[in-house]
Amino acid sequence: MVSGNLFHCRRNSWPAEEYVGRTALQLLDFDGGSPPEQAWRRRLNSHANLLKEFSVTFMEAMRMMSLGLRLWSYVREEASHGRKAPIDPFTKEKCKPSASQGVPLGGMGSGSISRGFRGEFKNWHIIPGLCETSPIFVSRDGGNKKYSSVLSPGHHEGLKKCNDSGISSWDWNLSGQHSTYHALFPRAWTVYDGEPDPDLKISCRQISPFIPHDYKDSSLPTSVFVYTLVNTGKDRAKVSLLMTWANSIGGFSHHSGGHFNEPFITAKDNPPVTFAIAACETQNVNVTVLPVFGLSGEGHDSAKQMWDRMKQNGHFDRENFEAGTSMPSSSGETLCAAVSASTWVEPHGRCTVVFGLAWSSPKIKFQKGCTYNRRYTEFYGTSERSAVNLVHDALTKYRIWEEEIEKWQNPILKNEKLPEWYKFTLFNELYFLVAGGTVWTDGQPPVIDGKPSPGSNQQKSSKRGTRDTKQESVKDNHVKLTAEQVTNGGDLANGEEQSVSKYAAVHGPQMAKATNGLGSQEPIPYLLSKNGPENVGKFLYLEGVEYIMWCTYDVHFYASFALLDLFPKIELSIQRDFANAVLYEDRRRMKFLADGTSGIRKVKGAVPHDLGTHDPWHEMNAYNIHDTSKWKDLNPKFVYRDFAATGDMSFGRDVWPAVCAAMDYMNQFDRDGDGLIENDGFPDQTYDAWTVHGISAYCGGLWLAALQAAATMAHRLGDRPFAEKYKLKFIQAKAVYEAKLWNGSYFNYDSGTSSNSRSIQADQLAGQWYAASSGLPPLFDENKIRSALQKIFEFNVMKVKGGRLGAVNGMTPNGKVDETCMQSREIWTGVTYGVAANMLLHGMEHQGFTTAEGIFIAGWSEEGYGYWFQTPEGWTIDGHYRSLIYMRPLAIWAMQWARSPPKAILDAPKVNLMDRIHLSPQMIRAMNEINVRKIAPDNRCFPSSAFRCEC
């Protein structure tokens, strides 16, 4: 835990007055319209530069040629089955990524839509699609002044001029010079300071229901846009805001035909995937709709005709609410619709206009597996019509959401000891929990061919889930599945879903909605596990949008601090999934691409690398570069931390058998019996291109932490023999680790004799970070810990462009970047945050915040590379990225964890539980007889006070 004064930022990094005039800020300072003091900011006319992807060197390409050929063959094979390979470096997106991202829309796990800082909707993760931003129309008394413009500068990326009747015919009059974007996830403000009307100040506030510890509203697929209008002119102004939407579920699906639109005011039944846009009608705000218009205008009003009507009248016909359902679109036709909200704003008057957006895609279907219901269906049912109820409730509840968001954020935002950049970057990095391809199910098992799976709630819908009709056969003796679980079925033709859009005015009292009760469930082998006293559903998130694997565990170790702090029940649910997986074995064969060998998919006792790709929970370990059953970091990362952080004894007892199995499994890698595991001369850990020989600072340190953690957990759960066994192993292993790796100022990369064995690894103290974050005693003498961290700071951080990039993974003792492989020379964003957290835990506040600030400068600042809201796994020293929108940067929440540990750790007894594990005479005799290959422990490394806790 951090004590003392924290590192102060040199200046107020992002004063709002530098972006928005003070007068405008004061005028908008009502009803939440003024952006906060701490926020990430951009001018709308800022250039969105294209991002530069990394490339391998010639020597790296030669070393990886065999892997590349096997990977290319595998990618083609998966494509022949209509699937995307989890890792595919060969298929590039048609549109180059650019520095244009902003805060995404929606809660967690129900699909998301990203929004660029200039106003465009993009990067859909529901199923991709096409949509547009909000135009505005202003006319003033006397009719001598009229303004109309899309509220975004220029044409949006990805939109082409179809013809003059399409959206290119609209007025794109906004320069963006006096308009700014302000982001503080899960909210964002766009302030138009006199654009397009010089006498009108506008603030558009975007709000999504991301509320820590709220396991209902945080799952909802909805967002609200609150427009605050201030008229500074002498004339009364009629302001009409317009929200438009294209009916599409992704790619070119809007050309496929069969889509239809329908206006609504109150609820009414209708089928599949739906979108709903709405506006709140009040005494001062009049809402009208245009249910259908087309980009081409064939059979409907064209986009140009719709625009011209709005310019002329400022509203649509009220009779449009009676229009009913439109005719389905024909092939090649794109249906769109619009909701208009009009109001008069008096001279020096103010007004608020609220729009809502919701989407309903109740089922999530995996390519080789089951179809599950999303979490929000527990509260809104499985009808796609629920988008109507969702958008209505969003418009009536957004103020409550904002109150809860501010209550959560204000203690951090108002802490004057914290750097300004840290405050808003901490919250904005959470974008990944919405935009990182997250899936949150209702936790219920699927129903196969109308038969409930074991443990399912019999009163649930009989269509809880189905197996894919194209699923590959599974042999009974290879996978431990019940017969019902492998039965083929299907209720969706060719895996396709149709799209329906809803466009509305919403007003009046809150509508009642059907709520499904929460049902208990029995465990199903490795597919579904007990979820504790409360079923909060099952949660998946991708390693990254380029590495398509769910809950990649070696990376989740870093990212999970965010979930454990903000949604601990979700984190425990994920841990239960992995605990079940540890005890499961899948003997189906798979080929490992690094060396061309084959092995079984999932070995009993091994923590899986991931929960799968196309059939999560059923077909784990989608990663097939290396045999991860031989990795040395996965099992140690699994032990104790979440139990210590939550103090949940029921959870501890549930996962204890898996902890024992995971720890015992690792004994095979202690080949000389000294208590310490050895690496096997290939990249057998999260740095999967960086070879390790012998004892590793990274994996060995994690193993030391796991030994101490397992012994402590055993003691707390009353398993004395296990506690004794692993305390003894810890004592053995600690002495060997220090004797083999400590060189006087830091721990060597490994104990081998390769050219990089003495490299300074930024992540060398990952085990100590793990131990300290779990409330465990330090693994080493504090002087050694601080010495190693200072070495990392001076070399890996400050010798790389003065600390303005983060911490490079590897540095040679002579101060040069380690060029052993592509990963040794990269700066990993999440690892840098983890190193910074470790520094905070050991009182090195200046070094910690300076280290992490490098990620902000390179990734988030105006002078950086443009990686905001798409933070990559890492970048090179020249700023070329690898793997955008990546899980590991959530590790910034480990810094907050270091500053403010959870109550269970703070309230834990101030005694060292390791001291309470008394070794039996037999254990003491065994310890005295140990001869660790004639290596005598260095007393300076292992003082007698090593297990003494300060009270």
Side-chain angles (χ1 to χ4, degrees):
M1 183 174 62
V2 176
S3 59
N5 292 326
L6 297 178
F7 169 65
H8 289 265
C9 192
R10 289 176 294 279
R11 68 181 185 93
N12 188 328
S13 308
W14 297 68
E17 292 84 355
E18 290 186 10
Y19 291 79
V20 186
R22 186 180 297 274
T23 300
L25 288 172
Q26 292 172 344
L27 289 171
L28 291 169
D29 191 20
F30 79 101
D31 195 31
S34 185
E37 290 183 14
Q38 292 85 17
W40 179 88
R41 311 186 198 279
R42 275 296 175 280
R43 297 190 190 280
L44 264 59
N45 66 343
S46 297
H47 175 64
N49 57 291
L50 294 178
L51 306 181
K52 297 178 181 179
E53 192 171 8
F54 85 107
S55 59
V56 297
T57 65
F58 176 77
M59 291 303 299
E60 288 168 349
M62 294 301 295
R63 286 195 294 267
M64 295 190 293
M65 182 176 293
S66 297
L67 167 61
L69 290 172
R70 283 187 283 265
L71 181 57
W72 179 74
S73 177
Y74 172 69
V75 168
R76 291 189 63 191
E77 180 185 356
E78 286 294 283
S80 71
H81 295 291
R83 300 189 294 262
K84 182 172 175 61
I87 301 175
D88 178 6
F90 308 106
T91 306
K92 301 299 182 183
E93 296 294 332
K94 293 181 180 179
C95 295
K96 294 276 189 181
S98 64
S100 60
Q101 294 289 358
V103 174
L105 309 176
M108 297 191 299
S110 295
S112 70
I113 305 169
S114 293
R115 196 172 185 225
F117 72 86
R118 293 181 299 197
E120 67 272 35
F121 297 96
K122 57 199 299 176
N123 288 18
W124 289 42
H125 288 287
I126 315 175
I127 321 172
L130 171 70
C131 44
E132 221 0 276
T133 51
S134 298
I136 187 170
F137 304 84
V138 184
S139 63
R140 293 187 173 271
D141 275 353
N144 58 336
K145 290 183 179 180
K146 282 194 172 185
Y147 304 91
S148 62
S149 179
V150 176
L151 289 178
S152 180
H155 290 286
H156 298 162
E157 296 153 14
L159 296 176
K160 298 180 180 179
K161 292 185 179 181
C162 308
N163 50 55
D164 289 339
S165 64
I167 61 174
S168 59
S169 65
W170 295 357
D171 298 326
W172 300 77
N173 297 326
L174 199 77
S175 72
Q177 181 180 359
H178 301 293
S179 301
T180 54
Y181 181 81
H182 312 256
L184 187 65
F185 179 89
R187 297 187 293 171
W189 291 253
T190 306
V191 176
Y192 306 91
D193 190 358
E195 291 189 279
D197 182 339
D199 293 328
L200 194 64
K201 310 292 185 185
I202 308 169
S203 169
C204 172
R205 187 163 86 260
Q206 171 188 315
I207 307 157
S208 293
F210 183 97
I211 304 163
H213 308 286
D214 185 333
Y215 296 88
K216 177 187 174 183
D217 287 0
S218 295
S219 73
L220 303 184
T222 186
S223 283
V224 172
F225 302 90
V226 182
Y227 285 85
T228 302
L229 310 172
V230 179
N231 183 4
T232 62
K234 298 178 180 179
D235 301 316
R236 190 169 67 138
K238 182 181 181 181
V239 180
S240 296
L241 290 159
L242 185 68
M243 186 171 189
T244 63
W245 206 261
N247 192 337
S248 171
I249 59 171
F252 294 98
S253 68
H254 51 288
H255 294 309
S256 63
H259 300 196
F260 58 89
N261 293 359
E262 174 189 325
F264 69 89
I265 295 181
T266 55
K268 185 170 46 155
D269 270 324
N270 251 331
V273 181
T274 58
F275 303 98
I277 59 173
C280 195
E281 187 166 73
T282 67
Q283 184 177 359
N284 299 320
V285 178
N286 179 52
V287 175
T288 57
V289 302
L290 181 64
V292 184
F293 70 92
L295 294 185
S296 61
E298 297 178 8
H300 308 285
D301 283 353
S302 68
K304 184 178 188 306
Q305 289 170 322
M306 181 278 293
W307 187 268
D308 291 342
R309 188 179 306 172
M310 280 297 298
K311 285 178 68 172
Q312 180 66 32
N313 303 324
H315 59 82
F316 301 115
D317 294 335
R318 191 75 182 182
E319 291 76 17
N320 286 348
F321 280 113
E322 308 300 326
T325 304
S326 73
M327 293 293 293
S329 62
S330 57
S331 179
E333 182 183 21
T334 302
L335 292 188
C336 305
V339 174
S340 168
S342 304
T343 184
W344 283 98
V345 186
E346 299 297 326
H348 307 292
R350 301 174 178 183
C351 187
T352 299
V353 177
V354 186
F355 287 90
L357 163 68
W359 53 94
S360 179
S361 178
K363 296 182 184 299
I364 179 69
K365 182 177 183 294
F366 298 103
Q367 285 185 296
K368 289 171 65 177
C370 293
T371 298
Y372 298 90
N373 288 337
R374 296 190 191 263
R375 166 72 174 169
Y376 77 88
T377 64
E378 285 286 345
F379 317 107
Y380 285 84
T382 57
S383 168
E384 290 77 10
R385 180 72 190 186
S386 60
V388 175
N389 293 341
L390 281 160
V391 77
H392 177 276
D393 288 356
L395 291 175
T396 57
K397 293 179 65 176
Y398 77 87
R399 293 180 188 275
I400 297 173
W401 294 342
E402 284 201 288
E403 288 177 5
E404 293 301 315
I405 291 168
E406 289 173 357
K407 189 185 302 181
W408 158 48
Q409 293 183 336
N410 280 343
I412 294 172
L413 296 176
K414 294 181 178 180
N415 188 336
E416 296 182 356
K417 296 180 179 179
L418 293 173
E420 295 294 317
W421 66 264
Y422 171 78
K423 296 177 184 179
F424 54 80
T425 307
L426 178 73
F427 293 113
N428 284 333
E429 288 283 19
L430 291 171
Y431 85 93
F432 188 85
L433 290 177
V434 172
T438 52
V439 170
W440 192 356
T441 77
D442 62 0
Q444 297 297 324
V447 171
I448 312 300
D449 284 350
K451 296 180 181 180
S453 293
S456 65
N457 186 343
Q458 296 284 342
Q459 296 181 358
K460 287 279 183 179
S461 165
S462 63
K463 294 184 179 180
R464 298 223 53 90
T466 58
R467 299 292 291 175
D468 191 346
T469 57
K470 298 181 180 179
Q471 183 184 347
E472 298 170 357
S473 61
V474 179
K475 295 182 179 179
D476 293 340
N477 63 334
H478 279 186
V479 186
K480 298 178 181 177
L481 291 173
T482 63
E484 290 82 2
Q485 287 172 305
V486 296
T487 304
N488 289 331
D491 62 354
L492 293 174
N494 299 320
E496 294 181 354
E497 296 176 334
Q498 69 181 109
S499 168
V500 182
S501 294
K502 303 292 177 186
Y503 307 89
V506 174
H507 52 85
Q510 185 169 346
M511 292 179 285
K513 49 190 179 294
T515 304
N516 293 331
L518 296 175
S520 61
Q521 60 186 65
E522 294 296 322
I524 297 175
Y526 92 93
L527 168 62
L528 293 166
S529 59
K530 288 194 301 181
N531 216 358
E534 179 185 351
N535 178 8
V536 297
K538 296 176 77 64
F539 192 85
L540 299 169
Y541 64 146
L542 292 175
E543 178 177 338
V545 297
E546 297 175 35
Y547 297 162
I548 308 172
M549 295 166 282
W550 299 108
C551 297
T552 301
Y553 201 77
D554 56 311
V555 183
H556 173 72
F557 171 74
Y558 297 80
S560 56
F561 282 92
L563 284 174
L564 190 54
D565 197 3
L566 305 175
F567 296 94
K569 293 177 184 177
I570 289 179
E571 170 61 13
L572 294 191
S573 173
I574 294 173
Q575 282 293 86
R576 290 176 190 274
D577 287 340
F578 277 94
N580 250 4
V582 167
L583 302 176
Y584 157 73
E585 186 166 76
D586 182 347
R587 299 193 63 81
R588 286 175 290 181
R589 307 290 293 182
M590 65 187 299
K591 185 176 181 179
F592 304 118
L593 304 180
D595 56 11
T597 63
S598 297
I600 69 173
R601 177 173 288 276
K602 169 65 182 68
V603 177
K604 187 175 182 179
V607 171
H609 172 272
D610 55 79
L611 292 178
T613 291
H614 301 306
D615 196 3
W617 302 299
H618 291 81
E619 186 180 271
M620 291 168 284
N621 282 336
Y623 178 92
N624 61 350
I625 305 296
H626 300 288
D627 182 355
T628 58
S629 68
K630 298 176 181 178
W631 277 22
K632 310 306 185 296
D633 63 332
L634 293 170
N635 283 36
K637 290 173 176 177
F638 174 69
V639 182
Y640 187 68
R641 186 204 62 183
D642 293 357
F643 172 60
T646 61
D648 188 331
M649 296 300 290
S650 174
F651 166 77
R653 288 188 290 268
D654 287 345
V655 302
W656 181 239
V659 170
C660 295
M663 292 298 295
D664 288 342
Y665 178 85
M666 295 300 292
N667 288 332
Q668 64 182 297
F669 303 119
D670 175 15
R671 296 184 174 87
D672 55 9
D674 62 2
L676 194 62
I677 60 173
E678 291 89 36
N679 292 79
D680 284 326
F682 75 99
D684 49 356
Q685 25 84 37
T686 195
Y687 299 90
D688 59 350
W690 198 358
T691 299
V692 194
H693 299 275
I695 296 169
S696 154
Y698 181 73
C699 297
L702 288 169
W703 177 238
L704 288 182
L707 289 171
Q708 185 173 231
T712 304
M713 189 173 180
H715 176 77
R716 293 182 63 179
L717 294 174
D719 189 339
R720 180 177 174 182
F722 195 96
E724 288 187 3
K725 178 172 71 171
Y726 281 93
K727 176 177 179 176
L728 176 59
K729 278 185 175 291
F730 174 74
I731 294 171
Q732 293 176 253
K734 179 180 182 296
V736 176
Y737 182 93
E738 292 193 280
K740 288 276 191 176
L741 296 178
W742 180 250
N743 63 22
S745 60
Y746 64 94
F747 294 97
N748 290 336
Y749 176 70
D750 64 29
S751 63
T753 57
S754 64
S755 60
N756 70 318
S757 289
R758 285 183 57 84
S759 285
I760 306 161
Q761 185 181 13
D763 221 358
Q764 63 183 266
L765 286 177
Q768 173 54 37
W769 172 45
Y770 167 13
S773 298
S774 304
L776 294 169
L779 301 179
F780 316 109
D781 180 77
E782 186 68 22
N783 290 334
K784 289 184 176 180
I785 296 170
R786 291 176 64 94
S787 172
L789 290 173
Q790 185 64 29
K791 190 77 172 183
I792 294 165
F793 179 72
E794 292 174 357
F795 277 66
N796 301 61
V797 179
M798 298 308 295
K799 286 185 181 294
V800 181
K801 295 195 176 181
R804 300 176 68 81
L805 289 180
V808 70
N809 284 334
M811 287 287 284
T812 63
N814 64 5
K816 303 293 184 182
V817 173
D818 186 337
E819 299 281 353
T820 302
C821 67
M822 69 178 199
Q823 290 178 343
S824 64
R825 60 185 171 89
E826 287 179 329
I827 292 103
W828 282 10
T829 52
V831 167
T832 298
Y833 286 142
V835 170
N838 208 359
M839 291 171 174
L840 296 183
L841 285 163
H842 294 282
M844 301 171 68
E845 291 86 3
H846 169 75
Q847 294 93 327
F849 281 111
T850 301
T851 295
E853 189 177 13
I855 301 302
F856 163 76
I857 293 171
W860 288 83
S861 73
E862 283 190 281
E863 60 192 271
Y865 300 115
Y867 297 130
W868 49 81
F869 300 104
Q870 51 188 335
T871 316
E873 158 75 313
W875 47 67
T876 58
I877 58 175
D878 57 359
H880 290 212
Y881 75 87
R882 183 168 61 81
S883 187
L884 288 175
I885 311 181
Y886 196 77
M887 178 196 292
R888 203 179 326 240
L890 285 169
I892 192 173
W893 278 85
M895 296 178 67
Q896 191 60 22
W897 183 281
R899 291 193 58 258
S900 181
K903 189 173 185 295
I905 289 179
L906 287 174
D907 292 349
K910 304 302 180 186
V911 296
N912 187 339
L913 292 181
M914 290 289 279
D915 281 344
R916 293 189 172 187
I917 302 172
H918 300 293
L919 299 179
S920 64
Q922 294 84 354
M923 284 288 184
I924 295 174
R925 189 159 48 250
M927 184 170 63
N928 291 333
E929 292 172 357
I930 289 172
N931 183 343
V932 188
R933 289 187 177 272
K934 306 296 183 181
I935 299 175
D938 185 343
N939 289 332
R940 294 171 299 169
C941 302
F942 188 50
S944 60
S945 60
F947 296 115
R948 187 169 300 150
C949 180
E950 295 181 4
C951 299

